[in-house]
Amino acid sequence: MVLPYGISAGFAAVTLPFVLTKVGLPVAVSASIVAVGISSNIWLFLWGPVADLTLTPRRWYLIGDVAALTVVAALTVVAALTVVAALTAVVFLSQVATSLVALPLGRIMAYTVADPEKGRAAGWYQAGNLGGTGVGGGAGVWLTSHYSIAMAGAVLAATMLMCALGLFFVPDVRVAREGTVGQKLRQIGAELRDLLRSPIALLAIVLVCSPVGAGAASNLWSAVAPQWHASPDRVALVTGALSGVASVIGCVLGGWVADRVGRWWSYFGAGVLMAVVATWMALAPHTMAIYSAGVLFYAAVTGTAYAAYSAVLLYVIGRGAASTKYATLSSLGNLPVAYMTAFDGRAHDRLGAAGMLYAESVVGAGFTVLFLVALGRIKARARTPQA
């Protein structure tokens, strides 16, 4: 059911830069358009209280799905004009619409999945997200190359609509809140205050805002592919179907590790592996084979990181005001994807493809070390009698 969210993101982050760079726009401009679109998810926290107080998750999902596929179809028309301001606005709107797909699913997971299984639930959720990104990106590039961007938009919009059939297989969640709207909002506010008083929750908030595990280079693989001499068909295959498979495997593995070994080890381990893969890709010869292997390994590790990220969120939010808390933390979690996409684009234009990957590796590994130290100190304090 989260596939429409991923498909829309993949179309905006992979297909659109591929089209724009082919017509002569700089990589930095394409990266900026993608970054603005991704930044729309930062405003998720505004919809959380509305979702908790109004319609059921199933109704919100249907509204978001229909709105998202409509805007994706409109994006294909605007893309042909290559007007940067119009493209930026429509990409932004497409991601706002798909946020209404992800929001109710977080609430459903929080209330219906047992705590020992939330890691696996997070893994499958992110498998749909990143797998959808592979479909939206790879299928979009292939259809655009062989037919037109209009055909790509039509096929992907139809696919997004079919995903609404999943509504027949999930339970609805209704949370009874008594009192006036003001009283209900105060209840939600009290639950948010309780969340912010937890040291682990505060660490998780800072963590999801950091570059660790952001996987921002995924948004630029199609734009930098010529520097590895990758053909359009190879780009479509690797960034699309194969990346989707690799990321799904990484997500499922990351969810399993989060339940069995620990969500923190899964998260930080993925952050370190991502830095290793990016560094190897920068050091290795820039050939099409290296591009293919690097993109696929990067996709698998990104899947592991995203699954651990969702497992941390589900662990921290509990069940009260689930939509609001999930939306708040998810909105913060989209910050690093947006700013690291823009960062990678600037680093590429200044330092080249290898310099971009080195810069991302240094930033990600550095923040991982800092968070490991912070987590160790929090756990040490929690074991003292005063705590």
Side-chain angles (χ1 to χ4, degrees):
M1 290 182 68
V2 79
L3 278 172
Y5 183 79
I7 288 172
S8 176
F11 187 77
V14 179
T15 304
L16 195 59
F18 177 78
V19 172
L20 296 180
T21 52
K22 282 190 70 175
V23 298
L25 286 181
V27 171
V29 173
S30 299
S32 298
I33 293 172
V34 173
V36 170
I38 294 170
S39 70
S40 66
N41 294 316
I42 296 168
W43 304 104
L44 266 175
F45 70 93
L46 295 175
W47 328 134
V50 177
D52 274 327
L53 297 176
T54 56
L55 304 176
T56 64
R58 294 174 67 174
R59 291 181 179 179
W60 274 118
Y61 177 89
L62 188 59
I63 291 171
D65 193 22
V66 173
L69 66 91
T70 302
V71 180
V72 166
L75 182 59
T76 62
V77 177
V78 180
L81 305 176
T82 63
V83 178
V84 173
L87 279 169
T88 303
V90 177
V91 168
F92 182 85
L93 288 174
S94 71
Q95 301 313 296
V96 169
T98 53
S99 68
L100 299 178
V101 169
L103 184 60
L105 296 179
R107 183 178 176 185
I108 290 172
M109 285 192 295
Y111 278 99
T112 63
V113 179
D115 288 341
E117 298 177 341
K118 283 186 175 176
R120 278 176 286 170
W124 286 108
Y125 173 85
Q126 290 295 349
N129 177 20
L130 296 182
T133 302
V135 171
V141 169
W142 189 87
L143 288 168
T144 300
S145 299
H146 291 79
Y147 297 97
S148 67
I149 191 170
M151 174 64 76
V155 171
L156 294 177
T159 304
M160 293 165 69
L161 182 61
M162 291 176 62
C163 293
L165 294 174
L167 290 172
F168 291 106
F169 303 98
V170 297
D172 213 352
V173 177
R174 298 176 183 270
V175 181
R177 290 185 183 274
E178 298 179 353
T180 64
V181 173
Q183 291 172 331
K184 294 175 182 178
L185 286 173
R186 283 193 289 273
Q187 291 176 27
I188 293 174
E191 289 167 345
L192 280 175
R193 283 195 301 272
D194 292 340
L195 177 70
L196 296 176
R197 287 171 181 162
S198 166
I200 286 292
L202 290 174
L203 176 66
I205 289 171
V206 178
L207 176 61
V208 300
C209 293
S210 76
V212 178
S218 299
N219 295 328
L220 299 177
W221 288 139
S222 62
V224 302
Q227 298 181 49
W228 275 267
H229 312 290
S231 64
D233 283 346
R234 178 63 64 92
V235 174
L237 177 64
V238 172
T239 62
L242 294 184
S243 273
V245 172
S247 61
V248 166
I249 293 172
C251 287
V252 175
L253 178 62
W256 182 86
V257 172
D259 280 340
R260 296 298 182 91
V261 180
R263 58 190 64 86
W264 301 107
W265 287 113
S266 182
Y267 203 141
F268 294 129
V272 171
L273 281 175
M274 188 173 290
V276 170
V277 171
T279 301
W280 168 79
M281 197 171 176
L283 287 171
H286 284 201
T287 63
M288 190 157 61
I290 295 297
Y291 174 84
S292 302
V295 169
L296 293 179
F297 279 121
Y298 193 92
V301 177
T302 301
T304 302
Y306 278 37
Y309 158 82
S310 289
V312 168
L313 260 58
L314 291 173
Y315 164 70
V316 168
I317 67 172
R319 287 183 171 82
S323 289
T324 300
K325 290 190 283 188
Y326 189 84
T328 301
L329 295 183
S330 293
S331 64
L332 295 174
N334 285 289
L335 275 170
V337 182
Y339 71 69
M340 284 303 294
T341 298
F343 172 85
D344 282 354
R346 296 293 180 184
H348 173 274
D349 287 354
R350 290 175 179 270
L351 306 172
M356 176 189 81
L357 295 174
Y358 286 134
E360 182 180 291
S361 300
V362 170
V363 171
F367 272 89
T368 299
V369 172
L370 290 176
F371 282 116
L372 282 171
V373 172
L375 181 62
R377 291 187 176 182
I378 289 174
K379 288 188 173 183
R381 288 183 62 187
R383 288 191 291 266
T384 62
Q386 293 82 0

